[in-house]
Amino acid sequence: MLNLQQLDDLRSDVGEDGFADLIALFLEETDGVVARMTAPGPKMDPAADFHFLKGATRNLGLESFSAVCHEAELAAAAGQPTPLSPADLDAAWRESRIRLLAQLGMADPVRSEFRPETHHE
């Protein structure tokens, strides 16, 4: 679910130019964390990564993705398996990212190396 009021409030707080820059920064940073988390190999601190994803996505109104990251953060912090496989995390992020950009009517402002489909275990 996308919280449109959260997006409108954020846009009002930072202005239109600042909002576009903030979206670009958000996507770049979040793409990087998701790519690192979905890459093969051991994860350094999944609880911290899920915490970052939860907060960043909540700030931009991506409530469903944020809620899933919150559950995964709690599990990781408790030393339990997270409810998200790398493939699930990847798919949920791609869907949320697309929904956000579509809602904003924005082309993808980030030229990142984020290629979710190449980071599955």
mmCIF file of all heavy atoms in Angstrom, residues 77-118:
data_model
loop_
_atom_site.group_PDB
_atom_site.id
_atom_site.type_symbol
_atom_site.label_atom_id
_atom_site.label_comp_id
_atom_site.label_asym_id
_atom_site.label_seq_id
_atom_site.Cartn_x
_atom_site.Cartn_y
_atom_site.Cartn_z
ATOM 1 N N ALA A 77 16.767 -9.658 14.408
ATOM 2 C CA ALA A 77 17.286 -9.204 15.701
ATOM 3 C C ALA A 77 17.162 -10.291 16.763
ATOM 4 O O ALA A 77 17.975 -10.364 17.692
ATOM 5 C CB ALA A 77 16.554 -7.943 16.141
ATOM 6 N N ALA A 78 16.157 -11.163 16.618
ATOM 7 C CA ALA A 78 15.950 -12.257 17.560
ATOM 8 C C ALA A 78 16.744 -13.509 17.171
ATOM 9 O O ALA A 78 16.629 -14.547 17.825
ATOM 10 C CB ALA A 78 14.463 -12.598 17.650
ATOM 11 N N GLY A 79 17.517 -13.412 16.103
ATOM 12 C CA GLY A 79 18.311 -14.544 15.655
ATOM 13 C C GLY A 79 17.510 -15.601 14.941
ATOM 14 O O GLY A 79 17.959 -16.737 14.788
ATOM 15 N N GLN A 80 16.325 -15.248 14.487
ATOM 16 C CA GLN A 80 15.466 -16.191 13.773
ATOM 17 C C GLN A 80 15.580 -15.949 12.270
ATOM 18 O O GLN A 80 15.973 -14.868 11.843
ATOM 19 C CB GLN A 80 14.020 -16.000 14.209
ATOM 20 C CG GLN A 80 13.806 -16.235 15.680
ATOM 21 C CD GLN A 80 12.399 -15.849 16.116
ATOM 22 O OE1 GLN A 80 11.636 -15.259 15.358
ATOM 23 N NE2 GLN A 80 12.061 -16.177 17.346
ATOM 24 N N PRO A 81 15.200 -16.944 11.489
ATOM 25 C CA PRO A 81 15.192 -16.724 10.032
ATOM 26 C C PRO A 81 14.196 -15.616 9.678
ATOM 27 O O PRO A 81 13.132 -15.518 10.284
ATOM 28 C CB PRO A 81 14.725 -18.061 9.462
ATOM 29 C CG PRO A 81 14.856 -19.047 10.565
ATOM 30 C CD PRO A 81 14.794 -18.292 11.854
ATOM 31 N N THR A 82 14.560 -14.811 8.725
ATOM 32 C CA THR A 82 13.660 -13.742 8.304
ATOM 33 C C THR A 82 12.585 -14.315 7.392
ATOM 34 O O THR A 82 12.812 -15.309 6.702
ATOM 35 C CB THR A 82 14.421 -12.617 7.568
ATOM 36 O OG1 THR A 82 14.981 -13.137 6.385
ATOM 37 C CG2 THR A 82 15.500 -12.018 8.444
ATOM 38 N N PRO A 83 11.405 -13.698 7.403
ATOM 39 C CA PRO A 83 10.313 -14.207 6.573
ATOM 40 C C PRO A 83 10.488 -13.911 5.079
ATOM 41 O O PRO A 83 9.670 -14.332 4.278
ATOM 42 C CB PRO A 83 9.085 -13.487 7.136
ATOM 43 C CG PRO A 83 9.617 -12.241 7.743
ATOM 44 C CD PRO A 83 10.995 -12.582 8.228
ATOM 45 N N LEU A 84 11.558 -13.202 4.734
ATOM 46 C CA LEU A 84 11.795 -12.844 3.333
ATOM 47 C C LEU A 84 13.028 -13.548 2.804
ATOM 48 O O LEU A 84 14.128 -13.346 3.309
ATOM 49 C CB LEU A 84 12.049 -11.335 3.205
ATOM 50 C CG LEU A 84 10.887 -10.393 3.313
ATOM 51 C CD1 LEU A 84 11.381 -8.949 3.291
ATOM 52 C CD2 LEU A 84 9.916 -10.621 2.184
ATOM 53 N N SER A 85 12.850 -14.343 1.785
ATOM 54 C CA SER A 85 14.012 -14.888 1.085
ATOM 55 C C SER A 85 14.600 -13.756 0.246
ATOM 56 O O SER A 85 13.928 -12.743 -0.002
ATOM 57 C CB SER A 85 13.581 -16.036 0.178
ATOM 58 O OG SER A 85 12.818 -15.523 -0.917
ATOM 59 N N PRO A 86 15.825 -13.894 -0.220
ATOM 60 C CA PRO A 86 16.368 -12.861 -1.107
ATOM 61 C C PRO A 86 15.473 -12.612 -2.324
ATOM 62 O O PRO A 86 15.259 -11.468 -2.717
ATOM 63 C CB PRO A 86 17.733 -13.428 -1.511
ATOM 64 C CG PRO A 86 18.139 -14.249 -0.337
ATOM 65 C CD PRO A 86 16.851 -14.883 0.137
ATOM 66 N N ALA A 87 14.906 -13.675 -2.886
ATOM 67 C CA ALA A 87 14.026 -13.506 -4.054
ATOM 68 C C ALA A 87 12.760 -12.749 -3.681
ATOM 69 O O ALA A 87 12.286 -11.898 -4.442
ATOM 70 C CB ALA A 87 13.679 -14.869 -4.651
ATOM 71 N N ASP A 88 12.207 -13.032 -2.501
ATOM 72 C CA ASP A 88 11.005 -12.324 -2.047
ATOM 73 C C ASP A 88 11.295 -10.851 -1.781
ATOM 74 O O ASP A 88 10.490 -9.985 -2.127
ATOM 75 C CB ASP A 88 10.435 -12.963 -0.788
ATOM 76 C CG ASP A 88 9.840 -14.343 -1.022
ATOM 77 O OD1 ASP A 88 9.522 -14.679 -2.185
ATOM 78 O OD2 ASP A 88 9.703 -15.086 -0.026
ATOM 79 N N LEU A 89 12.418 -10.583 -1.146
ATOM 80 C CA LEU A 89 12.811 -9.195 -0.884
ATOM 81 C C LEU A 89 12.983 -8.446 -2.196
ATOM 82 O O LEU A 89 12.474 -7.338 -2.371
ATOM 83 C CB LEU A 89 14.106 -9.147 -0.069
ATOM 84 C CG LEU A 89 14.707 -7.763 0.155
ATOM 85 C CD1 LEU A 89 13.752 -6.868 0.949
ATOM 86 C CD2 LEU A 89 16.054 -7.884 0.862
ATOM 87 N N ASP A 90 13.663 -9.072 -3.116
ATOM 88 C CA ASP A 90 13.902 -8.484 -4.431
ATOM 89 C C ASP A 90 12.579 -8.156 -5.136
ATOM 90 O O ASP A 90 12.378 -7.046 -5.626
ATOM 91 C CB ASP A 90 14.725 -9.488 -5.245
ATOM 92 C CG ASP A 90 14.959 -9.051 -6.658
ATOM 93 O OD1 ASP A 90 15.715 -8.099 -6.861
ATOM 94 O OD2 ASP A 90 14.376 -9.688 -7.562
ATOM 95 N N ALA A 91 11.670 -9.108 -5.162
ATOM 96 C CA ALA A 91 10.389 -8.911 -5.850
ATOM 97 C C ALA A 91 9.556 -7.831 -5.161
ATOM 98 O O ALA A 91 8.952 -6.986 -5.834
ATOM 99 C CB ALA A 91 9.621 -10.225 -5.906
ATOM 100 N N ALA A 92 9.521 -7.845 -3.841
ATOM 101 C CA ALA A 92 8.744 -6.845 -3.102
ATOM 102 C C ALA A 92 9.307 -5.448 -3.330
ATOM 103 O O ALA A 92 8.550 -4.485 -3.499
ATOM 104 C CB ALA A 92 8.732 -7.187 -1.613
ATOM 105 N N TRP A 93 10.631 -5.320 -3.346
ATOM 106 C CA TRP A 93 11.233 -4.009 -3.575
ATOM 107 C C TRP A 93 10.957 -3.534 -5.003
ATOM 108 O O TRP A 93 10.589 -2.387 -5.225
ATOM 109 C CB TRP A 93 12.726 -4.006 -3.282
ATOM 110 C CG TRP A 93 13.366 -2.731 -3.725
ATOM 111 C CD1 TRP A 93 14.403 -2.593 -4.588
ATOM 112 C CD2 TRP A 93 12.975 -1.401 -3.365
ATOM 113 N NE1 TRP A 93 14.681 -1.268 -4.785
ATOM 114 C CE2 TRP A 93 13.820 -0.506 -4.040
ATOM 115 C CE3 TRP A 93 11.993 -0.874 -2.541
ATOM 116 C CZ2 TRP A 93 13.715 0.874 -3.917
ATOM 117 C CZ3 TRP A 93 11.878 0.500 -2.416
ATOM 118 C CH2 TRP A 93 12.746 1.352 -3.094
ATOM 119 N N ARG A 94 11.148 -4.407 -5.989
ATOM 120 C CA ARG A 94 10.886 -3.994 -7.373
ATOM 121 C C ARG A 94 9.449 -3.518 -7.543
ATOM 122 O O ARG A 94 9.201 -2.487 -8.168
ATOM 123 C CB ARG A 94 11.192 -5.130 -8.352
ATOM 124 C CG ARG A 94 12.681 -5.246 -8.650
ATOM 125 C CD ARG A 94 12.966 -6.200 -9.790
ATOM 126 N NE ARG A 94 12.762 -7.565 -9.324
ATOM 127 C CZ ARG A 94 12.091 -8.487 -9.989
ATOM 128 N NH1 ARG A 94 11.552 -8.218 -11.142
ATOM 129 N NH2 ARG A 94 11.958 -9.699 -9.502
ATOM 130 N N GLU A 95 8.493 -4.256 -6.978
ATOM 131 C CA GLU A 95 7.090 -3.873 -7.088
ATOM 132 C C GLU A 95 6.834 -2.524 -6.409
ATOM 133 O O GLU A 95 6.147 -1.661 -6.963
ATOM 134 C CB GLU A 95 6.209 -4.945 -6.455
ATOM 135 C CG GLU A 95 4.739 -4.621 -6.509
ATOM 136 C CD GLU A 95 3.900 -5.667 -5.810
ATOM 137 O OE1 GLU A 95 4.218 -6.870 -5.885
ATOM 138 O OE2 GLU A 95 2.909 -5.266 -5.180
ATOM 139 N N SER A 96 7.388 -2.338 -5.220
ATOM 140 C CA SER A 96 7.207 -1.078 -4.490
ATOM 141 C C SER A 96 7.845 0.085 -5.231
ATOM 142 O O SER A 96 7.277 1.179 -5.313
ATOM 143 C CB SER A 96 7.811 -1.192 -3.088
ATOM 144 O OG SER A 96 7.112 -2.153 -2.335
ATOM 145 N N ARG A 97 9.007 -0.142 -5.774
ATOM 146 C CA ARG A 97 9.747 0.897 -6.514
ATOM 147 C C ARG A 97 8.957 1.342 -7.742
ATOM 148 O O ARG A 97 8.814 2.528 -8.013
ATOM 149 C CB ARG A 97 11.097 0.305 -6.918
ATOM 150 C CG ARG A 97 12.091 1.240 -7.472
ATOM 151 C CD ARG A 97 13.354 0.416 -7.825
ATOM 152 N NE ARG A 97 14.522 1.228 -7.907
ATOM 153 C CZ ARG A 97 14.785 2.071 -8.887
ATOM 154 N NH1 ARG A 97 13.933 2.219 -9.883
ATOM 155 N NH2 ARG A 97 15.883 2.785 -8.883
ATOM 156 N N ILE A 98 8.439 0.369 -8.466
ATOM 157 C CA ILE A 98 7.649 0.667 -9.669
ATOM 158 C C ILE A 98 6.389 1.436 -9.296
ATOM 159 O O ILE A 98 6.026 2.417 -9.940
ATOM 160 C CB ILE A 98 7.318 -0.645 -10.425
ATOM 161 C CG1 ILE A 98 8.574 -1.204 -11.072
ATOM 162 C CG2 ILE A 98 6.219 -0.426 -11.454
ATOM 163 C CD1 ILE A 98 8.445 -2.639 -11.557
ATOM 164 N N ARG A 99 5.722 0.984 -8.237
ATOM 165 C CA ARG A 99 4.493 1.650 -7.795
ATOM 166 C C ARG A 99 4.773 3.098 -7.385
ATOM 167 O O ARG A 99 4.010 3.995 -7.726
ATOM 168 C CB ARG A 99 3.871 0.884 -6.629
ATOM 169 C CG ARG A 99 2.517 1.443 -6.225
ATOM 170 C CD ARG A 99 1.870 0.676 -5.090
ATOM 171 N NE ARG A 99 1.816 -0.751 -5.362
ATOM 172 C CZ ARG A 99 2.252 -1.677 -4.507
ATOM 173 N NH1 ARG A 99 2.764 -1.345 -3.361
ATOM 174 N NH2 ARG A 99 2.156 -2.946 -4.814
ATOM 175 N N LEU A 100 5.855 3.330 -6.671
ATOM 176 C CA LEU A 100 6.211 4.682 -6.246
ATOM 177 C C LEU A 100 6.458 5.582 -7.451
ATOM 178 O O LEU A 100 5.895 6.677 -7.552
ATOM 179 C CB LEU A 100 7.448 4.660 -5.346
ATOM 180 C CG LEU A 100 7.989 6.021 -4.920
ATOM 181 C CD1 LEU A 100 6.982 6.750 -4.034
ATOM 182 C CD2 LEU A 100 9.322 5.858 -4.205
ATOM 183 N N LEU A 101 7.282 5.136 -8.367
ATOM 184 C CA LEU A 101 7.596 5.951 -9.541
ATOM 185 C C LEU A 101 6.359 6.194 -10.404
ATOM 186 O O LEU A 101 6.165 7.304 -10.920
ATOM 187 C CB LEU A 101 8.708 5.300 -10.364
ATOM 188 C CG LEU A 101 10.091 5.336 -9.704
ATOM 189 C CD1 LEU A 101 11.073 4.483 -10.488
ATOM 190 C CD2 LEU A 101 10.591 6.755 -9.564
ATOM 191 N N ALA A 102 5.507 5.197 -10.539
ATOM 192 C CA ALA A 102 4.281 5.366 -11.323
ATOM 193 C C ALA A 102 3.361 6.389 -10.657
ATOM 194 O O ALA A 102 2.793 7.258 -11.332
ATOM 195 C CB ALA A 102 3.567 4.032 -11.489
ATOM 196 N N GLN A 103 3.225 6.294 -9.349
ATOM 197 C CA GLN A 103 2.369 7.228 -8.632
ATOM 198 C C GLN A 103 2.875 8.664 -8.774
ATOM 199 O O GLN A 103 2.092 9.603 -8.901
ATOM 200 C CB GLN A 103 2.295 6.860 -7.142
ATOM 201 C CG GLN A 103 1.449 7.800 -6.326
ATOM 202 C CD GLN A 103 -0.007 7.821 -6.768
ATOM 203 O OE1 GLN A 103 -0.600 6.782 -7.020
ATOM 204 N NE2 GLN A 103 -0.597 8.993 -6.843
ATOM 205 N N LEU A 104 4.172 8.818 -8.774
ATOM 206 C CA LEU A 104 4.771 10.145 -8.886
ATOM 207 C C LEU A 104 4.863 10.619 -10.327
ATOM 208 O O LEU A 104 5.193 11.774 -10.581
ATOM 209 C CB LEU A 104 6.169 10.150 -8.248
ATOM 210 C CG LEU A 104 6.196 9.868 -6.745
ATOM 211 C CD1 LEU A 104 7.627 9.749 -6.266
ATOM 212 C CD2 LEU A 104 5.437 10.943 -5.980
ATOM 213 N N GLY A 105 4.599 9.724 -11.272
ATOM 214 C CA GLY A 105 4.709 10.086 -12.679
ATOM 215 C C GLY A 105 6.138 10.421 -13.067
ATOM 216 O O GLY A 105 6.381 11.268 -13.912
ATOM 217 N N MET A 106 7.075 9.719 -12.439
ATOM 218 C CA MET A 106 8.499 9.997 -12.659
ATOM 219 C C MET A 106 9.152 8.878 -13.452
ATOM 220 O O MET A 106 8.844 7.705 -13.254
ATOM 221 C CB MET A 106 9.237 10.111 -11.312
ATOM 222 C CG MET A 106 8.821 11.276 -10.457
ATOM 223 S SD MET A 106 9.630 11.246 -8.829
ATOM 224 C CE MET A 106 11.340 11.551 -9.290
ATOM 225 N N ALA A 107 10.060 9.282 -14.317
ATOM 226 C CA ALA A 107 10.958 8.306 -14.916
ATOM 227 C C ALA A 107 11.958 7.928 -13.831
ATOM 228 O O ALA A 107 12.137 8.659 -12.859
ATOM 229 C CB ALA A 107 11.683 8.915 -16.111
ATOM 230 N N ASP A 108 12.600 6.805 -13.981
ATOM 231 C CA ASP A 108 13.574 6.378 -12.978
ATOM 232 C C ASP A 108 14.734 7.367 -12.943
ATOM 233 O O ASP A 108 15.469 7.495 -13.919
ATOM 234 C CB ASP A 108 14.068 4.983 -13.314
ATOM 235 C CG ASP A 108 14.833 4.353 -12.168
ATOM 236 O OD1 ASP A 108 15.325 5.083 -11.293
ATOM 237 O OD2 ASP A 108 14.931 3.122 -12.156
ATOM 238 N N PRO A 109 14.900 8.099 -11.827
ATOM 239 C CA PRO A 109 15.948 9.110 -11.757
ATOM 240 C C PRO A 109 17.323 8.550 -11.412
ATOM 241 O O PRO A 109 18.285 9.293 -11.331
ATOM 242 C CB PRO A 109 15.461 10.027 -10.626
ATOM 243 C CG PRO A 109 14.727 9.109 -9.721
ATOM 244 C CD PRO A 109 14.081 8.088 -10.635
ATOM 245 N N VAL A 110 17.409 7.254 -11.198
ATOM 246 C CA VAL A 110 18.653 6.663 -10.721
ATOM 247 C C VAL A 110 19.275 5.799 -11.795
ATOM 248 O O VAL A 110 18.616 4.963 -12.388
ATOM 249 C CB VAL A 110 18.393 5.805 -9.455
ATOM 250 C CG1 VAL A 110 19.661 5.128 -8.988
ATOM 251 C CG2 VAL A 110 17.802 6.659 -8.357
ATOM 252 N N ARG A 111 20.526 6.015 -12.021
ATOM 253 C CA ARG A 111 21.284 5.131 -12.908
ATOM 254 C C ARG A 111 22.189 4.301 -12.018
ATOM 255 O O ARG A 111 23.374 4.563 -11.896
ATOM 256 C CB ARG A 111 22.127 5.923 -13.889
ATOM 257 C CG ARG A 111 21.309 6.700 -14.883
ATOM 258 C CD ARG A 111 22.233 7.474 -15.780
ATOM 259 N NE ARG A 111 21.450 8.341 -16.616
ATOM 260 C CZ ARG A 111 21.654 8.483 -17.904
ATOM 261 N NH1 ARG A 111 22.635 7.842 -18.493
ATOM 262 N NH2 ARG A 111 20.903 9.282 -18.610
ATOM 263 N N SER A 112 21.595 3.319 -11.391
ATOM 264 C CA SER A 112 22.360 2.501 -10.458
ATOM 265 C C SER A 112 22.678 1.157 -11.080
ATOM 266 O O SER A 112 22.187 0.820 -12.143
ATOM 267 C CB SER A 112 21.582 2.308 -9.164
ATOM 268 O OG SER A 112 20.487 1.453 -9.389
ATOM 269 N N GLU A 113 23.452 0.405 -10.377
ATOM 270 C CA GLU A 113 23.782 -0.945 -10.804
ATOM 271 C C GLU A 113 22.756 -1.929 -10.272
ATOM 272 O O GLU A 113 22.963 -3.122 -10.333
ATOM 273 C CB GLU A 113 25.184 -1.326 -10.315
ATOM 274 C CG GLU A 113 26.280 -0.481 -10.933
ATOM 275 C CD GLU A 113 26.293 -0.584 -12.443
ATOM 276 O OE1 GLU A 113 26.243 -1.704 -12.976
ATOM 277 O OE2 GLU A 113 26.345 0.469 -13.102
ATOM 278 N N PHE A 114 21.663 -1.428 -9.734
ATOM 279 C CA PHE A 114 20.624 -2.278 -9.161
ATOM 280 C C PHE A 114 19.995 -3.110 -10.269
ATOM 281 O O PHE A 114 19.339 -2.598 -11.144
ATOM 282 C CB PHE A 114 19.571 -1.426 -8.464
ATOM 283 C CG PHE A 114 18.448 -2.231 -7.872
ATOM 284 C CD1 PHE A 114 18.683 -3.063 -6.796
ATOM 285 C CD2 PHE A 114 17.178 -2.146 -8.390
ATOM 286 C CE1 PHE A 114 17.652 -3.798 -6.236
ATOM 287 C CE2 PHE A 114 16.141 -2.883 -7.838
ATOM 288 C CZ PHE A 114 16.383 -3.706 -6.758
ATOM 289 N N ARG A 115 20.218 -4.366 -10.216
ATOM 290 C CA ARG A 115 19.616 -5.311 -11.135
ATOM 291 C C ARG A 115 19.147 -6.488 -10.293
ATOM 292 O O ARG A 115 19.866 -7.474 -10.142
ATOM 293 C CB ARG A 115 20.608 -5.791 -12.192
ATOM 294 C CG ARG A 115 21.164 -4.695 -13.071
ATOM 295 C CD ARG A 115 20.088 -4.193 -14.052
ATOM 296 N NE ARG A 115 20.643 -3.170 -14.884
ATOM 297 C CZ ARG A 115 20.486 -1.869 -14.691
ATOM 298 N NH1 ARG A 115 19.799 -1.443 -13.674
ATOM 299 N NH2 ARG A 115 21.003 -0.992 -15.512
ATOM 300 N N PRO A 116 17.968 -6.386 -9.679
ATOM 301 C CA PRO A 116 17.538 -7.397 -8.715
ATOM 302 C C PRO A 116 17.607 -8.826 -9.231
ATOM 303 O O PRO A 116 17.983 -9.713 -8.503
ATOM 304 C CB PRO A 116 16.095 -7.021 -8.423
ATOM 305 C CG PRO A 116 15.941 -5.613 -8.870
ATOM 306 C CD PRO A 116 16.970 -5.390 -9.924
ATOM 307 N N GLU A 117 17.256 -9.017 -10.467
ATOM 308 C CA GLU A 117 17.211 -10.383 -10.978
ATOM 309 C C GLU A 117 18.585 -11.049 -11.039
ATOM 310 O O GLU A 117 18.686 -12.238 -11.193
ATOM 311 C CB GLU A 117 16.529 -10.429 -12.345
ATOM 312 C CG GLU A 117 17.215 -9.616 -13.415
ATOM 313 C CD GLU A 117 16.867 -8.127 -13.403
ATOM 314 O OE1 GLU A 117 16.106 -7.658 -12.568
ATOM 315 O OE2 GLU A 117 17.405 -7.410 -14.253
ATOM 316 N N THR A 118 19.660 -10.301 -10.867
ATOM 317 C CA THR A 118 21.005 -10.886 -10.920
ATOM 318 C C THR A 118 21.562 -11.177 -9.536
ATOM 319 O O THR A 118 22.683 -11.637 -9.418
ATOM 320 C CB THR A 118 21.980 -9.953 -11.658
ATOM 321 O OG1 THR A 118 22.123 -8.745 -10.914
ATOM 322 C CG2 THR A 118 21.531 -9.681 -13.058
#
